[in-house]
C-alpha cells in the first residue's frame, strides 16, 4: 500500500474514533462560548429574556397602583420593574429607560376624568407658594390623582378644577399654581394671573404653607393680598406628619390668619377637620322652586303622559357606554398653539400662553355649549421626543397627554404652518390613529405663511400645502383638514362644525342588510393583495361604534393583509362615509368550530 494511502486511512481512522455515538446526548446548559458564533446572539437574547421573566413581579405596577385615594386610605408601595441591562448598554441609556418606566408607573396612578363644572356650586380655591403641597392636597380632597405631583417646584401652572363631596354637600375646588407675587418673569406672572382669577371666583380660600420650613417672603405677601379680599381664609400648615411637629403650626399665626389647621396632605391627617371648618363657612346653596303657575296645553299634557319627561341628550361613545358630551383632545408638538386654540374656542383666557415650549403640563379642560351640543375641549401638554425630555414632570406630562388622548372621542392634531409636518407630528398622529380616536388635522398659524413674509419667500398656496400634508400623513387620508389662525380667531368656527360632523360619523351604525348588499357590489379582484393572503367574505356586520368596528365572517381564520384591509376600508368610506374615524376589522372563520 502506498505511503499516501496509509496517511489517508489513518486520517479516516482518527475521524471515526472521535465521531459521537448514536443516541440522546446529555442535557447540558449551553454557553455562549461553546456554540456556533452565528447563534451566540440568539442564545444570549433567550437567556436575557429568561432572566427578565424571573424578575417580573406577580402583580404589575399598574395593578398595584389601582387604588383610590379616599379618606385616610394609604396607597400601597409600587414596585418598579427593573430594566434588563443588555451587553454593551451604556449606563445613561439604562438610567433613561428606568426613568421613563418610573414615569409610566407614576402616570398609571393619575386619572383622566374631568367632572362637569357646576356653576351654581360654591368654589374653594387652594393657593400658596410653589412646592408646599397644593396639588397633593387637591388630589386628596377630590379623591383622585388629577394634578401632577412631584418634587420639582412650579409643576402646576394652570387652574385645575374638581369636585368635593363632604357631609352630604357637593362643592367645587380649584388647584392653582405656585404664587410668587413679586416675580416679573413671564410664566410666574401668568401663573399669578390665573391664581387671581380663581381667587376672585372662590367663596372660600385655603392657603397652604410648608410647616417644615420658616415663613418666606412670598407667604407673607400672599397673606396680605388674601386679607384684602375679605373672603373666609383658612391656613393649612402642611407636611405635619408627626405629633412632634404639630406645635410648630402655631408659629404661622404671625401671618394674621385666625383659622390655622395643621394637616398632612400626603397621609390625610387633619384634612377632615379642615373640610369641617371650610364647609361651615361656605354659603348655603339655594334651590330654585319649581314654578306652579305655568299653564300646559292639552297637547303638552298628552305628550308628557305618553313619553314622560324629555330625556337628556346622550351620545354613544367608545361603543360601551353613553355620555352627554363630546370630548375633544388638542394634541401636537410643543409650541404649536394648542393653548391658544383652547382660549379661542372657549372665548376665555383659560390656559397660559407663552412662546416658551412646554408651558402646559397639566391637562386643562373647558366645556363649551354650542347649538345644543356640549363639547369638552382638553388642552394637553406638548408631546416631545424621549431624548429631549429630562425632568420627571415633563415625562409625566407626555405620558398623561397620551392618556387624555385615549380617553377622548375626537383629537385635533395641530401642525405649525411655518414649520410644516415634522416626523414627530406623524408619530403623534399615529398615536391617535392606533388608539381609535377620530382625527381632524388643523394647520395653525396659517396667516404667518400667507401674508407678506419677512424671509423673502412667496406666500404658501393652500392646495399645494394640503397635498404636502397628505403625502406626509398618508395613513390619515380619512381625516378632514382645516387651515386656521388661533391667535387671530380665523377659522375657529369651522372647528366646531367639523368636530360635530366627525363625532356624528364616529357613532354611525350601518345595518347588517346594508353591509351585505354592499359586499355584493365590491369587486375584490381590484385589491392589490397576493392570492395566498386573500380571504372569502361570506357576510359582515358592524359590531360596535366609536370607532366603527366590523366583524368579517370568512373562510380562513387569518389576519387580514394590510392592502386588503385598506382596500375594504376605502370602499366602506365611499359608500357610508365615516369621515374622520378609523375603521377596525375583526375576522371570524365560519368553519373554525368544525375544524376544532
Amino acid at each position: 500500500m502506498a505511503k499516501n494511502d496509509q496517511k489517508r486511512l489513518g486520517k479516516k481512522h482518527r475521524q471515526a474514533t472521535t465521531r459521537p455515538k448514536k443516541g440522546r446526548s446529555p442535557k447540558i446548559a449551553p454557553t455562549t462560548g461553546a456554540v456556533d458564533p452565528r447563534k451566540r446572539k440568539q442564545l444570549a437574547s433567550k437567556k436575557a429574556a429568561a432572566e427578565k421573566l424571573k424578575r417580573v413581579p406577580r402583580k404589575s405596577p399598574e395593578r398595584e397602583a389601582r387604588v383610590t385615594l379616599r379618606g385616610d386610605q394609604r396607597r400601597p408601595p409600587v414596585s418598579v420593574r427593573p430594566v434588563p441591562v443588555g451587553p454593551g448598554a451604556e449606563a445613561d441609556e439604562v438610567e433613561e429607560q428606568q426613568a421613563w418606566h418610573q414615569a409610566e408607573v407614576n402616570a398609571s396612578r393619575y386619572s383622566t376624568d374631568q367632572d362637569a363644572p357646576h356653576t351654581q356650586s360654591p368654589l374653594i380655591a387652594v393657593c400658596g407658594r410653589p412646592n408646599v403641597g397644593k396639588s397633593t392636597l387637591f388630589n386628596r380632597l377630590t379623591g383622585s390623582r388629577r394634578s401632577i405631583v412631584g418634587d420639582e417646584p412650579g409643576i402646576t401652572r394652570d387652574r385645575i378644577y374638581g369636585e368635593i363631596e363632604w357631609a352630604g354637600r357637593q362643592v367645587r375646588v380649584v388647584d392653582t399654581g405656585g404664587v410668587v407675587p413679586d416675580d416679573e418673569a413671564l410664566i410666574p406672572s401668568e401663573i399669578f394671573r390665573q391664581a387671581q382669577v380663581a381667587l376672585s371666583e372662590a367663596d372660600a380660600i385655603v392657603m397652604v404653607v410648608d410647616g417644615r420650613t420658616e415663613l418666606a417672603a412670598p407667604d407673607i405677601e400672599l397673606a396680605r393680598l388674601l386679607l384684602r379680599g375679605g373672603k373666609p381664609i383658612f391656613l393649612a400648615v402642611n407636611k405635619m406628619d408627626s405629633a412632634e411637629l404639630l406645635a410648630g403650626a402655631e408659629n404661622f399665626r404671625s401671618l394674621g390668619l385666625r383659622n390655622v389647621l395643621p394637616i398632612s396632605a400626603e397621609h390625610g391627617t387633619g384634612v377632615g377637620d379642615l373640610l369641617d371648618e371650610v364647609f361651615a363657612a361656605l354659603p348655603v346653596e339655594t334651590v330654585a322652586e319649581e314654578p306652579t303657575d305655568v299653564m300646559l296645553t292639552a297637547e303638552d299634557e298628552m305628550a308628557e303622559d305618553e313619553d314622560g319627561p324629555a330625556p337628556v341628550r346622550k351620545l354613544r361613545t367608545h361603543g360601551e357606554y353613553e355620555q352627554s358630551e363630546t370630548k375633544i383632545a388638542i394634541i401636537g408638538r410643543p409650541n404649536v398653539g394648542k393653548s391658544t386654540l383652547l382660549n379661542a374656542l372657549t372665548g376665555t383666557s383659560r390656559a397660559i400662553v407663552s412662546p416658551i415650549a412646554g408651558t402646559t403640563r397639566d391637562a386643562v379642560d373647558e366645556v363649551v355649549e354650542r347649538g345644543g351640543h356640549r363639547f369638552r375641549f382638553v388642552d394637553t401638554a406638548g408631546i416631545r421626543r424621549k431624548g429631549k425630555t429630562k425632568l420627571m414632570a415633563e415625562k409625566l406630562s407626555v405620558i398623561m397627554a397620551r392618556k387624555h388622548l385615549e380617553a377622548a372621542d375626537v383629537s385635533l392634531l395641530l401642525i405649525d404652518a411655518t414649520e410644516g409636518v415634522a416626523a414627530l407630528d406623524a408619530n403623534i398622529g399615529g398615536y391617535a390613529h392606533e388608539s381609535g380616536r377620530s382625527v381632524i388635522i388643523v394647520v395653525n398659524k396659517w396667516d404667518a405663511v400667507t401674508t407678506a413674509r419677512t424671509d423673502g419667500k412667496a406666500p404658501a398656496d393652500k392646495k399645494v400645502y394640503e397635498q404636502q400634508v397628505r403625502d406626509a400623513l398618508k395613513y390619515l387620508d380619512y381625516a378632514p383638514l382645516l387651515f386656521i389662525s388661533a391667535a387671530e380667531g380665523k377659522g375657529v368656527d369651522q372647528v366646531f362644525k367639523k368636530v360635530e360632523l366627525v363625532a356624528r360619523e364616529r357613532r354611525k351604525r350601518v345595518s347588517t342588510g346594508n353591509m351585505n348588499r354592499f359586499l355584493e357590489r365590491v369587486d375584490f379582484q381590484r385589491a392589490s393583495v397576493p392570492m395566498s393572503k386573500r380571504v372569502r367574505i361570506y357576510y359582515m356586520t358592524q359590531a360596535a361604534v366609536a370607532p366603527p368596528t366590523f366583524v368579517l365572517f370568512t373562510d380562513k381564520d387569518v389576519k387580514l393583509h394590510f392592502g386588503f384591509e385598506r382596500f375594504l376600508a376605502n370602499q366602506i368610506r365611499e359608500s357610508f362615509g365615516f369621515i374622520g374615524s378609523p375603521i377596525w376589522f375583526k375576522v371570524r372563520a365560519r368553519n373554525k368550530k368544525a375544524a376544532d
Side-chain angles (χ1 to χ4, degrees):
M1 185 177 294
K3 187 176 182 180
N4 294 336
D5 297 337
Q6 292 179 357
K7 290 183 178 180
R8 191 177 297 111
L9 289 174
K11 183 178 180 181
K12 292 182 179 179
H13 178 72
R14 288 193 300 270
Q15 289 179 350
T17 57
T18 57
R19 188 175 301 168
K21 298 180 179 180
K22 293 183 179 180
R24 183 175 298 178
S25 59
K27 294 183 179 180
I28 302 176
T31 59
T32 56
V35 298
D36 190 349
R38 294 173 294 183
K39 297 183 179 180
R40 288 181 183 178
K41 186 176 181 180
Q42 182 180 4
L43 179 60
S45 61
K46 289 183 179 180
K47 293 179 63 178
E51 292 295 331
K52 179 181 178 181
L53 187 60
K54 294 179 181 179
R55 293 193 295 265
V56 173
R58 293 183 178 180
K59 289 185 178 180
S60 63
E62 292 78 5
R63 186 172 181 180
E64 293 181 359
R66 202 174 298 158
V67 180
T68 307
L69 273 175
R70 290 284 184 182
D72 294 338
Q73 295 180 0
R74 295 290 303 277
R75 184 180 298 279
V78 179
S79 59
V80 181
R81 186 182 304 173
V83 178
V85 181
E90 298 181 359
D92 53 350
E93 295 180 357
V94 175
E95 184 178 357
E96 183 70 14
Q97 293 178 3
Q98 291 177 345
W100 274 102
H101 179 73
Q102 181 63 43
E104 292 178 355
V105 172
N106 296 339
S108 64
R109 304 173 180 175
Y110 289 87
S111 173
T112 58
D113 297 333
Q114 289 93 10
D115 297 323
H118 297 273
T119 56
Q120 302 298 328
S121 302
L123 178 64
I124 303 172
V126 180
C127 64
R129 62 182 174 89
N131 207 22
V132 294
K134 300 182 299 299
S135 297
T136 306
L137 178 60
F138 175 83
N139 292 339
R140 172 66 64 176
L141 294 176
T142 58
S144 63
R145 303 280 292 197
R146 178 67 177 83
S147 273
I148 295 179
V149 179
D151 297 332
E152 306 159 11
I155 293 179
T156 303
R157 294 175 176 177
D158 298 281
R159 289 172 284 153
I160 310 298
Y161 288 87
E163 290 187 351
I164 304 176
E165 186 176 355
W166 185 260
R169 295 183 61 186
Q170 191 170 10
V171 301
R172 294 179 299 153
V173 61
V174 55
D175 181 22
T176 61
V179 177
V180 183
D182 297 333
D183 199 335
E184 298 180 356
L186 178 59
I187 292 182
S189 62
E190 287 294 317
I191 294 175
F192 182 48
R193 183 182 63 81
Q194 292 282 340
Q196 284 180 320
V197 174
L199 295 176
S200 62
E201 298 175 350
D203 298 291
I205 300 173
V206 176
M207 178 180 172
V208 185
V209 294
D210 190 349
R212 296 184 178 181
T213 61
E214 299 294 334
L215 277 175
D219 294 327
I220 300 174
E221 185 64 24
L222 179 59
R224 291 176 181 175
L225 292 175
L226 297 179
L227 288 173
R228 296 172 189 171
K231 296 182 179 181
I233 306 172
F234 300 87
L235 183 64
V237 184
N238 193 21
K239 303 182 182 181
M240 293 292 176
D241 301 329
S242 60
E244 292 79 7
L245 299 174
L246 296 179
E250 298 298 325
N251 299 330
F252 291 88
R253 292 189 179 273
S254 59
L255 291 175
L257 303 178
R258 297 180 179 179
N259 302 315
V260 179
L261 297 100
I263 67 167
S264 174
E266 183 177 359
H267 301 93
T269 306
V271 176
D273 297 335
L274 175 64
L275 288 177
D276 291 336
E277 296 288 340
V278 174
F279 271 70
L282 290 177
V284 180
E285 300 179 35
T286 58
V287 181
E289 298 181 358
E290 297 182 359
T292 58
D293 54 347
V294 178
M295 300 297 294
L296 298 178
T297 63
E299 297 178 355
D300 295 337
E301 292 180 356
M302 292 178 61
E304 186 175 357
D305 293 339
E306 294 178 358
D307 302 334
V312 179
R313 186 176 186 274
K314 293 185 178 182
L315 305 176
R316 183 178 297 276
T317 177
H318 302 296
E320 298 176 359
Y321 62 93
E322 293 183 350
Q323 63 181 18
S324 58
E325 65 183 17
T326 302
K327 190 174 180 181
I328 305 100
I330 306 175
I331 59 175
R333 294 185 290 118
N335 208 18
V336 295
K338 298 183 296 297
S339 299
T340 307
L341 179 59
L342 176 68
N343 294 341
L345 292 170
T346 58
T348 60
S349 300
R350 179 67 177 84
I352 295 178
V353 177
S354 75
I356 303 174
T359 301
T360 304
R361 290 184 175 177
D362 284 289
V364 181
D365 65 291
E366 189 72 12
V367 177
V368 178
E369 294 187 3
R370 185 184 177 98
H373 298 270
R374 186 185 180 95
F375 305 97
R376 181 180 292 275
F377 293 96
V378 182
D379 176 24
T380 62
I383 300 178
R384 303 185 181 186
R385 298 183 183 275
K386 288 188 175 182
K388 295 184 178 181
T389 309
K390 302 300 181 183
L391 300 177
M392 179 58 68
E394 295 177 349
K395 292 180 171 62
L396 277 174
S397 299
V398 172
I399 298 174
M400 290 303 299
R402 295 187 59 178
K403 291 186 64 176
H404 282 283
L405 167 63
E406 295 173 356
D409 301 313
V410 183
S411 60
L412 300 179
L413 176 61
L414 252 67
I415 297 175
D416 192 340
T418 60
E419 299 180 2
V421 182
L424 186 55
D425 293 324
N427 292 338
I428 297 172
Y431 297 151
H433 174 75
E434 294 175 358
S435 61
R437 306 307 102 189
S438 299
V439 183
I440 300 176
I441 305 174
V442 181
V443 180
N444 192 22
K445 306 180 184 179
W446 183 242
D447 58 321
V449 297
T450 53
T451 56
R453 304 185 61 172
T454 57
D455 53 3
K457 296 182 180 180
D461 182 74
K462 182 175 291 187
K463 293 183 179 179
V464 176
Y465 200 100
E466 181 177 357
Q467 186 61 39
Q468 293 176 355
V469 174
R470 293 298 185 186
D471 293 340
L473 304 175
K474 292 183 178 180
Y475 61 94
L476 294 178
D477 56 349
Y478 57 85
L481 184 63
L482 297 177
F483 294 88
I484 69 167
S485 174
E488 297 186 359
K490 296 180 179 179
V492 176
D493 293 337
Q494 298 296 324
V495 176
F496 286 98
K497 296 179 181 178
K498 288 296 182 182
V499 167
E500 184 178 352
L501 172 63
V502 169
R504 185 171 60 251
E505 292 289 316
R506 176 181 178 81
R507 290 180 281 266
K508 180 187 293 184
R509 182 178 290 275
V510 181
S511 64
T512 304
N514 290 336
M515 292 304 304
N516 292 329
R517 285 188 289 270
F518 156 77
L519 283 178
E520 297 176 356
R521 301 191 304 266
V522 177
D523 184 10
F524 289 100
Q525 299 299 326
R526 295 164 48 198
S528 57
V529 182
M531 294 300 297
S532 60
K533 299 294 183 180
R534 294 194 178 188
V535 295
R536 181 181 178 183
I537 303 176
Y538 295 111
Y539 65 96
M540 63 186 300
T541 181
Q542 185 174 359
V545 297
T549 305
F550 297 91
V551 178
L552 311 180
F553 293 88
T554 63
D555 58 343
K556 301 178 183 178
D557 187 15
V558 296
K559 184 179 180 180
L560 292 181
H561 189 267
F562 170 76
F564 187 86
E565 185 174 341
R566 180 177 56 183
F567 171 79
L568 184 57
N570 292 336
Q571 295 296 320
I572 292 177
R573 294 186 193 281
E574 291 181 3
S575 300
F576 304 105
F578 296 108
I579 302 172
S581 179
I583 298 178
W584 289 357
F585 295 101
K586 295 182 179 180
V587 179
R588 296 288 184 271
R590 173 186 281 185
N591 55 354
K592 182 178 179 180
K593 294 183 178 180
D596 295 340

